[in-house]
Amino acid sequence: MKQFDVAVIGAGAAGMMCAAEAGKRGRRVVLIDHADKLAEKIRISGGGRCNFTNINAGPANFLSQNPHFCKSALSRYTPQDFLALVKKHRIAHHEKHKGQLFCDVSAEDIIGMLKAECAVGNVHWRMPAKVDSIEPGEDGGFTVYTDTGVVNVQSVVIATGGLSIPKIGATDFGYRIAKQFGLKLVETRPALVPLTFDAQEWAPFVPLAGISLEVDVETGSLKGRNPDGARFREDLLFTHRGLSGPAILQISSFWQPGTPIVINLLPEMDVAQELTAAKQSTKKQLGNVLSQWLPARLADGLLLAHSFNSEARLADMPDAQLRKLGQLLNQWTITPDGSEGYRKAEVTRGGVDTRELSQQTMMANKVPGLYFIGETVDVTGWLGGYNFQWAWASGVAAGQVV
Ligand code: FAD
């Protein structure tokens, strides 16, 4: 007889949730992870306070080649379900911004809660343990070879996450196992990541590092030509190498290399119209007028970079110049040359092709007993607690059936 029914590989957000759920159904579960320290990604998430869900999370907040895939799991385990668990464990929390729920004290509270739930399900831990390979078992099921011994199980759940932040243990293990069993992958790339620019092109903006302001940012076509078109109103942050902040992290998941992003630096204002009106009534210089609306350093930097004279008197400027400036500030169009990569990305876009999996159970259609959950799957959430909600929901979906 097999010692365990289920092996869950990866004790992160999705893996712990799945193991606890299966264990509470009476399944004998072994949870295997190669890291020395448990759930590092949860620990560093949300600036150490873990944005553990978003009360408004729904399928529209996720990117995937099949946008319908996530619907079933998300509707069966909702943000309210996770919040009920958080409340049951008396974890102090608060809503920060646009439905984002954070711990008051520390992300450790969420890790502690998941560990406690695993304990209720009598989950057996093997950690740190490196998985060398997974092979189909002779009598059905699977044999998992680890550096701490062999485990024979009926089902294997792959919850090893994406490629983001290799320094804390991210690997391509999930994708390798998918390939080994003949499943298709959707190309992966860093998402929720700062964008970078050609060093020479960015040179005039380097002194603006540290400036932050609320903007509208958009990429692709919003008129249906590019299904990845998107627009967000969030804070933008200038960095030494490019742009960051929530606005850029959000748009980075949709951005296609080689295409521009368009930033409206004054989304509440038609700048050309305001400048033309101000021209009649002010003796001020251009730089002084703009610094009423924008951080002065940003106004000066942008004017310099685009060859406007900040000392010119507004009253002396031709209307055509003001329209050009209006367009610059309302539609600043720039083309990133790349991103900060997996080193800085919060998540990985792409992964195991959802067409290979059951949307009810997360099991591979052509490999009975093999499941994929969490970030390994081609379902990527926006910034704001959505990625954890997918980890919880997909973990529970598999945990209820393995
Ligand atoms: P993970 O949580 O990454 O867990 C994967 C586990 O698998 C790890 O424990 C790893 O050690 C283990 N593993 C990997 N390879 C192997 C292997 N070969 N053998 C054995 N074990 C292996 N999302 C939010 O919703 N809110 C946030 O506030 C938030 N903040 C973030 C901040 C940062 C800096 C980062 C990087 C991400 C953040 N995210 C946030 C995203 C979120 O952390 C992930 O989407 C989520 O953790 C994915 O869960 P997962 O269980 O699929 O993978």
Side-chain angles (χ1 to χ4, degrees):
M1 186 170 123
K2 294 181 168 73
Q3 192 189 353
F4 297 106
D5 300 309
V6 184
V8 178
I9 322 285
M16 279 200 278
M17 198 70 182
C18 177
E21 189 72 18
K24 285 187 266 179
R25 287 175 42 239
R27 305 296 280 161
R28 295 164 307 156
V29 182
V30 58
L31 184 49
I32 305 172
D33 199 294
H34 68 167
D36 292 321
K37 217 167 160 192
L38 177 63
E40 270 293 76
K41 223 170 244 181
I42 300 180
R43 186 170 288 107
I44 62 170
S45 68
R49 297 237 167 114
C50 187
N51 175 195
F52 55 78
T53 192
N54 191 302
I55 47 174
N56 305 318
N61 306 113
F62 293 85
L63 289 90
S64 170
Q65 273 197 354
N66 175 6
H68 302 294
F69 179 82
C70 61
K71 285 182 179 170
S72 172
L74 288 174
S75 68
R76 285 178 296 131
Y77 191 83
T78 65
Q80 285 67 28
D81 291 324
F82 192 76
L83 187 56
L85 190 63
V86 166
K87 286 181 178 165
K88 189 178 106 185
H89 284 259
R90 297 177 189 281
I91 297 175
H93 58 277
H94 60 281
E95 184 182 339
K96 200 167 167 186
H97 172 66
K98 298 187 178 173
Q100 301 167 5
L101 298 185
F102 283 78
C103 296
D104 283 357
V105 181
S106 165
E108 295 280 359
D109 289 342
I110 298 293
I111 301 174
M113 177 187 88
L114 294 169
K115 263 175 84 176
E117 290 291 311
C118 285
V120 175
N122 288 318
V123 172
H124 184 91
W125 291 82
R126 272 211 192 185
M127 192 182 162
K130 184 172 170 291
V131 179
D132 295 320
S133 64
I134 300 174
E135 300 297 337
E138 276 170 19
D139 55 346
F142 301 86
T143 303
V144 180
Y145 296 89
T146 81
D147 60 359
T148 61
V150 174
V151 188
N152 289 300
V153 285
Q154 207 53 48
S155 310
V156 169
V157 182
I158 305 295
T160 47
L163 298 168
S164 316
I165 326 273
K167 164 171 107 190
I168 57 168
T171 68
D172 65 351
F173 183 82
Y175 312 136
R176 276 193 274 130
I177 295 296
K179 263 194 231 160
Q180 177 193 333
F181 284 92
L183 310 190
K184 286 197 196 74
L185 295 173
V186 172
E187 192 187 344
T188 55
R189 62 187 167 91
L192 299 183
V193 64
L195 296 175
T196 56
F197 296 83
D198 171 76
Q200 217 173 344
E201 215 178 294
W202 195 249
F205 304 108
V206 172
L208 306 185
I211 291 177
S212 168
L213 73 163
E214 192 181 65
V215 302
D216 275 353
V217 59
E218 131 181 17
T219 191
S221 165
L222 299 173
K223 298 192 191 88
R225 268 183 297 137
N226 172 1
D228 274 350
R231 179 192 292 143
F232 291 93
R233 178 166 300 183
E234 292 277 4
D235 284 349
L236 168 88
L237 173 70
F238 283 80
T239 73
H240 286 100
R241 285 162 47 84
L243 293 171
S244 186
I248 295 300
L249 300 189
Q250 294 284 31
I251 214 71
S252 71
S253 299
F254 296 83
W255 174 70
Q256 297 290 346
T259 65
I261 58 172
V262 181
I263 299 171
N264 186 343
L265 293 160
L266 286 164
E268 294 294 339
M269 184 184 273
D270 181 331
V271 178
Q273 207 172 47
E274 293 287 337
L275 286 172
T276 314
K279 179 177 167 175
Q280 313 304 326
S281 58
T282 183
K283 293 195 169 95
K284 283 186 181 169
Q285 293 176 336
L286 179 60
N288 290 338
V289 173
L290 289 188
S291 61
Q292 298 173 138
W293 306 329
L294 286 170
R297 210 150 53 89
L298 173 58
D300 285 345
L302 277 168
L303 290 176
L304 190 67
H306 290 88
S307 308
F308 285 94
N309 177 6
S310 70
E311 290 175 0
R313 273 168 23 110
L314 191 61
D316 299 334
M317 291 180 68
D319 287 353
Q321 279 277 87
L322 300 186
R323 281 196 297 274
K324 205 172 137 202
L325 183 55
Q327 195 176 22
L328 168 65
L329 297 179
N330 282 141
Q331 285 180 286
W332 186 31
T333 304
I334 39 173
T335 303
D337 76 345
S339 79
E340 294 280 4
Y342 291 116
R343 201 172 52 87
K344 289 272 180 79
E346 287 202 6
V347 288
T348 302
R349 195 180 158 174
V352 178
D353 192 325
T354 56
R355 282 167 294 197
E356 301 281 11
L357 306 176
S358 153
Q359 60 186 354
Q360 267 84 38
T361 65
M362 304 288 133
M363 190 176 83
N365 298 321
K366 51 191 177 210
V367 191
L370 180 64
Y371 298 74
F372 291 84
I373 58 173
E375 205 181 309
T376 319
V377 179
D378 172 34
V379 174
T380 307
W382 293 2
L383 183 77
Y386 304 100
N387 283 294
F388 278 135
Q389 187 56 36
W390 171 246
W392 317 136
S394 59
V396 167
Q400 285 174 343
V401 293
V402 278

